[in-house]
Amino acid sequence: MRRAIILAGPLVAATAFGIAPAEAGFRSPESLIRNVYAHYGQGSAEHSNGLPHDDETARQFFDPSMYRAWIAPHDAPYDFLVQSPSWRLGAISIAVLRRQFDRTYVTVTFDNEGHTVTLNFILVNGPAGWVISDVESPHDSLRMFLAQFKR
C-alpha cells in the first residue's frame, strides 16, 4: 500500500502544477489515423506543419521501436505521411484490412493535390492504447524512409 502512495505522489504533484503526463496511444485504430491527419490542418502546408517530430508527439503516436526514428534529426525531401513536400488533402478513407492478435492493418486513402495516396498503417495495441508500428507506401516504409534520411 505504501508503495502505491509513493508512486502516485509525483503524478498528483505534476497534475496539481498543470503538468499532464504524455499519454501514449488511442482508443481505436480509426481514432489514431484521424488524429494523425488532424495535424495536416485545413488541407495545406501553409496552415500546418504536419505531424510534429517532437518527443511528446512521438510518445503519443508511435510504439517504442519507431519512437527514436521519428524524433531523430533527418533531411527528408517530403513528408512520408502525405507522400509530398506540400499538401492539400481531400477526404480520408480508413479501412481496417486485418486484425491479428495485438496488430491491426489499416489502409488509408486520400487525395493530395490531385494524386491518390494509399498507405498501409501497421498499428499495435499496447497497454496504453493503439500506436503506429510502421507505415507502408507502395515503394517504401516509414521506418526505412526515416533511416535513409537520418542525419
Side-chain angles (χ1 to χ4, degrees), residues 38-91:
H39 285 275
Y40 289 86
Q42 296 298 315
S44 68
E46 299 84 44
H47 293 110
S48 68
N49 294 321
L51 191 65
H53 288 265
D54 61 34
D55 187 68
E56 183 178 341
T57 302
R59 287 188 193 281
Q60 184 179 17
F61 284 89
F62 296 98
D63 77 347
S65 68
M66 277 293 293
Y67 168 81
R68 292 275 175 232
W70 186 256
I71 63 171
H74 61 275
D75 293 319
Y78 61 93
D79 187 319
F80 189 88
L81 297 176
V82 292
Q83 296 288 293
S84 177
S86 63
W87 53 85
R88 182 166 297 282
L89 303 183

Side-chain angles (χ1 to χ4, degrees), residues 54-132:
D54 61 34
D55 187 68
E56 183 178 341
T57 302
R59 287 188 193 281
Q60 184 179 17
F61 284 89
F62 296 98
D63 77 347
S65 68
M66 277 293 293
Y67 168 81
R68 292 275 175 232
W70 186 256
I71 63 171
H74 61 275
D75 293 319
Y78 61 93
D79 187 319
F80 189 88
L81 297 176
V82 292
Q83 296 288 293
S84 177
S86 63
W87 53 85
R88 182 166 297 282
L89 303 183
I92 297 171
S93 169
I94 303 168
V96 175
L97 290 178
R98 180 175 68 229
R99 295 181 193 270
Q100 189 173 17
F101 304 108
D102 68 337
R103 291 182 181 260
T104 294
Y105 299 83
V106 177
T107 296
V108 177
T109 305
F110 55 88
D111 178 85
N112 183 14
E113 297 182 338
H115 300 279
T116 300
V117 176
T118 300
L119 299 171
N120 293 316
F121 282 73
I122 301 169
L123 309 178
V124 293
N125 191 8
W130 290 95
V131 290
I132 300 168

